Structure formats: C-alpha cells, structure tokens
Amino acid sequence: MKAKVLMLGLLGAFALTFSAQAQQEVATSQNLSGHKTIYNRDGSRWFIDIQGGGVILPLGEANNKADFMDRVSWGMPMLGIGAWHNPYFATRLQLYGWRAFGFEFKDQVTKTDLNKFGNFFVGGNYQFLFDLVNYFAPYKADRVFHFSPFVGIGANYLLQVTEGDKFSPAIEGYDFMRDQAPKNFEDFCGSFGLAANAGVQIRLHLHRVLDFNIEGQVIASKINMRGNNGAHQGADLMALVTAGFAFNLNNPAFTEVVPMDWGLVNDLNSQINSLRAENAELSKRPVSCPECPEVKPAEPVVTQKTYYSSVFFRINSAKIDANQMPTVNMIADYVKESGETIYITGYADAQTGTAEYNMGLSERRVNTVRDALIEKGVSADKIVTDFKGSDVQPYEVNKMNRVVIATGTKEEAK
C-alpha cells in the first residue's frame, strides 16, 4: 500500500512539474526539445553525490521464506563522482560497500527453520545516465524534476560472511580477506566478480549547487554470497533503494548556441553586393581626364554624417552574446576616435512579454551595452541612454526588435 502511495505521489509531482513548465518561457530561443538543441562546448558539469539506503537479496527460496523487514540491510553508503556532458547525458563512478543478509534452510530436506548470514561486500560501477526530461522537453536550467534511467558495469568483492547480524567473526571458508592468495580459480571467483547494474534516478533540482536524488537499482555479480541462490549457483542479485544529495561543483547550466540570424545576414550581403556594383561602375571611368581649365579649389564644406549601429539580443535576455561583441567594439572605437557623444536606446519585441516587463528588459539591455562600452574605455559622460520597451518597434521583423541601437553624429569635410 505504501509503495502505491509513493508511486502515485511521484507521478503527481512529475505531472505538476510539466504543467508548470508548459506555462513558463523556456531558456532557449528556438523552443526545441533538448536533443535537437546545440549547446556550447565549454566543459562538463561535475558533481559529487552522497547517498544511503537499504539493500536486499531478492532471489533464493529460503530468502523468500524470511520476514521482509528482517531481509533488509539498512545503511548502504554510496559515493558517486560524475559529470553531465550535456543536459541529458552524464557518466558517474559510484562506489559502495555494506552487507546483504542471506538465508538458508537448516534442514534442506524438510526446508524448515532458517539460518541468517551477513555478506559483507564492496564494489563500484561506472554508469551512464540519461535524463529523459531534458532529452524530450525544451531545455530549462532551473527545471526541478528530472527522471534518469542508468546502466553500468563494474566489479564486486566479497569481504567475509558472518552469522546473523554479527559484524565478526567471519565464518571459516568465507573470510577471503585472510587468504594470502587464491588457491584456485574457483576460490578467486568466490570473492571477486564482475558486475552489471541498471536503475532509475529521480533528481530534484533544489539550488544551483544542490540536488536531491532518489535511486533504485539492481546489481548483478558472481561473488557467491551465502543464502543467495546457494553458493556457486548463479549470479548474486542485489536490489538497492537509496536517497541523498548531489553537490554541483561548477555552474550546472548549459548555454545554447544561438543560430545565425539569416535575415540580418542576407541584408548585409545585399548591402555588400550594392557596394560592389557601385565600385564596378567607378572602375569603368578613365584614369585621367582631358586638360581642363584651372579651377580654384573650393573651400571644404563641413557636413554631418549620422552614425548608426545595432546590438541584437536573444529572447528574454540582456546578456551580450559573443557574436555581438564586434559591434560593441566598433561603437567604442567610434566614440573614442570621434570624441562625439553616443546615444544608445534599448528595445524589446512586442510579441513576447507584457509592456511593463519589456520596459524593464529594454532598460537592462541598454545598461548592459553602456557598461560594456565603459569597459572598452569609453567615458561615461560620452554615453546617453534611453529605453522604449516594446512601445516602439524600430524593425518590421519582430525578433530584430530585441536590440539596442546606437546613434551619433560625426563631422566630415567634403
């Protein structure tokens, strides 16, 4: 009954998490599922998890005759060291060591009365975790609920076998720690064996540096535990349920690689082609012209040329992407070379967010550009800021209005 209540509770939490996320704006500009999104290759996100729980031997005729709570060995410390290589795939080395209780019939003929044994073991597995939520849903750095199946391979070592709940002394013939060397291959296999495991992890993201994990897994190996299918009869199968905390050693969030804005690229290419056409026309003119009457040089006429440049942003972001930094550098160079005042105005697109929210977003964007210009050596008194939110849309294409536009004047002689 308790298991059913727990399962229904987990399913309810899973459904509530997805419904809440469906009403929130995701942290990607394309709103694609996680495995269809490209992420920056800026290193793995390392973590350490510490867990504890219980272990039981689920197989064996005598085991199944014993009381369930008497079969569970509580404690089961586990230490994991791993890394998320992208939002939906991780690897982990998990180390553990404890005891598992096994039972045998005192009389194999009548199969009455039970002897209890404690199998002390250590082991480790190298595991592969797959976060199904981040794989199928759009990636969101602060998502709370995660569901991750995992598989792994490793090895187990049987230290000793004791009677009942005792920690010592070891039963003669099962104290493998006392053997200086295995007498034969069968003795060696009785204490050491390769292992395979599979399980699921439910991870609750509590904080940037802290997760809470609940895991259930099955480990199979051949180390001849007492009371598990009988000695030398098949693999030893252990079932574990553990819970604990994972500590993220660096920023666990991944950043999306924003694809190129092809509308902007095409516009720039059109301008380049237009300039090339003008240059081709100029090249057709003669190198020198016929002798002309002497003309008095005209006085230079001072005109004003308007400076114009745009810094584009991702949806719901006030962070300057790396591909926009060249534009910021050009604005800074212009102000430092010309000595003119630069006027920068922030905007937000009208199709996302409320007018009140967009006003604040455009203010944050223009302040970000202002701070970047000051870092590039531009004097603060040469910068005038303004922000329009989504009330004013400088471009016809909606997504191009996530922008800060810089304007100024520059005196030139003609």
Side-chain angles (χ1 to χ4, degrees), residues 77-292:
M78 306 187 80
L79 172 67
I81 303 173
W84 287 97
H85 307 293
N86 59 45
Y88 52 84
F89 176 70
T91 54
R92 175 178 66 177
L93 176 63
Q94 192 172 64
L95 305 175
Y96 48 85
W98 196 234
R99 65 177 177 180
F101 294 129
F103 295 83
E104 293 180 359
F105 293 113
K106 291 181 180 179
D107 188 336
Q108 292 292 336
V109 178
T110 61
K111 295 186 177 181
T112 57
D113 298 328
L114 297 173
N115 285 329
K116 183 178 182 180
F117 301 95
N119 300 280
F120 288 80
F121 65 94
V122 293
N125 284 286
Y126 188 73
Q127 301 169 350
F128 306 88
L129 294 86
F130 305 89
D131 189 325
L132 297 184
V133 178
N134 277 348
Y135 186 85
F136 290 107
Y139 173 64
K140 185 175 177 61
D142 57 355
R143 175 176 285 116
V144 175
F145 184 87
H146 298 265
F147 183 82
S148 305
F150 60 87
V151 294
I153 55 174
N156 288 337
Y157 188 86
L158 181 62
L159 300 174
Q160 66 176 21
V161 177
T162 64
E163 293 183 356
D165 295 329
K166 297 179 181 178
F167 283 85
S168 65
I171 297 176
E172 187 67 27
Y174 281 84
D175 187 0
F176 297 103
M177 291 294 287
R178 296 179 182 172
D179 294 343
Q180 298 299 317
K183 298 176 182 178
N184 52 54
F185 183 77
E186 184 178 351
D187 289 339
F188 182 82
C189 289
S191 60
F192 173 86
L194 298 178
N197 75 312
V200 294
Q201 177 194 82
I202 294 175
R203 177 164 56 97
L204 303 178
H205 184 61
L206 305 179
H207 186 266
R208 184 179 62 86
V209 298
L210 185 65
D211 297 334
F212 178 70
N213 296 341
I214 302 174
E215 297 185 11
Q217 61 176 300
V218 175
I219 303 175
S221 62
K222 177 61 177 173
I223 53 176
N224 293 333
M225 288 186 172
R226 195 76 178 264
N228 191 24
N229 278 339
H232 308 286
Q233 296 180 13
D236 297 300
L237 200 66
M238 295 183 289
L240 297 82
V241 175
T242 57
F245 293 96
F247 303 90
N248 302 307
L249 302 184
N250 49 7
N251 183 11
F254 288 86
T255 55
E256 176 193 5
V257 176
V258 180
M260 183 63 69
D261 188 336
W262 290 109
L264 181 60
V265 171
N266 292 334
D267 181 61
L268 293 175
N269 284 335
S270 297
Q271 295 181 38
I272 292 172
N273 291 333
S274 177
L275 292 173
R276 285 175 176 170
E278 291 180 14
N279 187 55
E281 286 296 324
L282 291 173
S283 65
K284 296 177 182 179
R285 298 184 180 183
V287 178
S288 60
C289 58
E291 292 184 5
C292 301

